[in-house]
Amino acid sequence: MGVDTPEEASALVRRWLVDRNCLVGEEAGADVHFQYAARNRIGVNFVVVQPKALVRSVLVVARLTLHPEHFKALQGMEAEERHELIMDIRYKLLLSGAAFHTDPQEGDIINSLVFEVEIAYDELSEGRLIDAVERVQRSLLYVVWRLTDALGKAHNSEDYDMMVQ
């Protein structure tokens, strides 16, 4: 059933988010056709956006900012151990079905990861949106759980919930 225009894509995405009570907000910008901020039923924040530079596709995106305690723990690790942990995470994310990149792009001290799934207009449907959100969510949860397992649970008042954008 695909869509042909940014307006049709926006309407389909907005209706899908509203039907699931996920829509949190809408943002306009000179560089996007539309951008919807959302939160799924298990509390993962994500956006569905169509940048103007991306023709005939939309992105489902989530950013995970490392918890300050985990960031500090990473900094305190031996370089080789930190490298092994980060590379293990990167290798396993290759199988997640979501594209990802770290910030900064290179190195073993990272402050955030961005996960995204692109959906072309000719495939844009409620089912593909569900799949894209699930792939982004699984990738994000994998990193949270892997870091918690390797570095321990963060114990201050900030929760990872606040770190997911």
Side-chain angles (χ1 to χ4, degrees):
M1 170 180 117
V3 298
D4 293 316
T5 66
E7 294 77 22
E8 290 175 354
S10 175
L12 187 153
V13 169
R14 188 177 196 297
R15 183 181 68 241
W16 180 78
L17 291 168
V18 168
D19 287 350
R20 283 160 182 74
N21 295 317
C22 291
L23 185 62
V24 173
E26 300 177 33
E27 296 182 27
D31 56 344
V32 299
H33 289 292
F34 62 87
Q35 179 171 320
Y36 297 110
R39 184 176 182 97
N40 72 8
R41 58 182 159 59
I42 69 164
V44 173
N45 296 323
F46 63 96
V47 297
V48 183
V49 59
Q50 183 182 5
K52 287 186 178 174
L54 187 61
V55 180
R56 300 185 50 79
S57 290
V58 301
L59 298 172
V60 175
V61 183
R63 173 184 294 274
L64 173 66
T65 302
L66 266 61
H67 193 284
E69 289 182 25
H70 286 169
F71 182 75
K72 187 176 178 178
L74 270 180
Q75 287 178 312
M77 292 174 84
E78 293 291 329
E80 187 175 322
E81 183 183 12
R82 180 178 53 242
H83 177 75
E84 286 179 21
L85 174 62
I86 297 302
M87 290 311 296
D88 180 59
I89 289 171
R90 286 178 173 149
Y91 292 142
K92 289 191 174 128
L93 284 173
L94 290 175
L95 304 174
S96 73
F100 69 94
H101 68 270
T102 59
D103 181 29
Q105 294 283 334
E106 298 295 325
D108 295 331
I109 300 288
I110 58 173
N111 4 348
S112 66
L113 292 100
V114 177
F115 309 98
E116 66 183 37
V117 173
E118 182 176 348
I119 306 171
Y121 274 10
D122 65 343
E123 295 183 325
L124 187 58
S125 67
E126 292 187 18
R128 287 286 285 133
L129 286 164
I130 291 167
D131 179 63
V133 169
E134 287 178 354
R135 285 195 268 159
V136 165
Q137 173 184 292
R138 281 192 306 268
S139 299
L140 187 145
L141 289 174
Y142 167 72
V143 173
V144 169
W145 292 340
R146 182 67 179 96
L147 290 175
T148 299
D149 186 50
L151 306 174
K153 185 175 181 181
H155 295 292
N156 69 15
S157 61
E158 292 185 39
D159 188 0
Y160 257 117
D161 181 55
M162 296 178 182
M163 313 312 271
V164 178
Q165 306 165 340

